Amino acid sequence: VQLQASGGGLVQAGGSLRLSCAASGRTNSNYNMGWFRQAPGKEREFVSYISWNGVTTNYADSVKGRFAVSRDNAKNTVFLQMNSLKPEDTADYYCAAGGTYLRGNYNPPYWGRGTQVTVSS
C-alpha cells in the first residue's frame, strides 16, 4: 500500500490545519492507520491512531483535546484535524498503515512521505 500525506504548511500559533493521507495500491482491505511526527533533531513520535472501522482512536498526551483523527474508507483517506496549534507542534508529519495499537505501542509496517507543519509563535 502506498501512502501520501498532504495539507501541511505554515500557520500561526492558535491556528488550525487539516492533514490528509490518501492510500493507494492494496486497499481492498481497510488498514488501521496512524500519524507520527518528527521534529528537527528529535526522534519520531506517535501522534494518533485510528482503527480500520474508525471505532477506536488513540492520541499522544501532547495532542489530546486539540487533534482529531478521522477516516473516509470510501475514499481510502485518513484525516488529522489539528487545532490550537503550538510552536512545539512543528514537525514533519507522517501517516502510516497496518499493525494494531496495543498497550500504548503502535508499529505500523507501511509508511508514507511526510508533510511539513510549521507553527510560528
Side-chain angles (χ1 to χ4, degrees):
V1 61
Q2 291 78 47
L3 305 170
Q4 179 64 56
S6 61
L10 174 64
V11 63
Q12 288 189 331
S16 298
L17 280 175
R18 189 192 196 202
L19 304 184
S20 299
C21 176
S24 61
R26 189 179 174 183
T27 58
N28 57 313
S29 297
N30 291 317
Y31 292 94
N32 298 326
M33 296 185 71
W35 290 93
F36 292 75
R37 67 186 182 186
Q38 186 167 19
K42 295 187 177 181
E43 293 187 351
R44 185 176 64 197
E45 64 175 357
F46 167 79
V47 175
S48 182
Y49 166 89
I50 185 166
S51 61
W52 67 272
N53 56 6
V55 171
T56 301
T57 58
N58 297 96
Y59 298 92
D61 287 344
S62 59
V63 306
K64 278 181 183 176
R66 299 188 298 121
F67 290 12
V69 62
S70 61
R71 65 189 300 157
D72 182 343
N73 286 343
K75 297 181 179 179
N76 295 318
T77 302
V78 172
F79 306 97
L80 185 68
Q81 178 66 44
M82 306 187 296
N83 300 324
S84 301
L85 283 161
K86 305 175 181 180
E88 51 263 43
D89 295 318
T90 295
D92 289 329
Y93 283 71
Y94 299 86
C95 63
T100 300
Y101 184 95
L102 188 63
R103 289 191 286 272
N105 291 300
Y106 181 47
N107 295 292
Y110 305 111
W111 291 83
R113 291 187 176 184
T115 184
Q116 188 174 49
V117 172
T118 303
V119 184
S120 63
S121 57

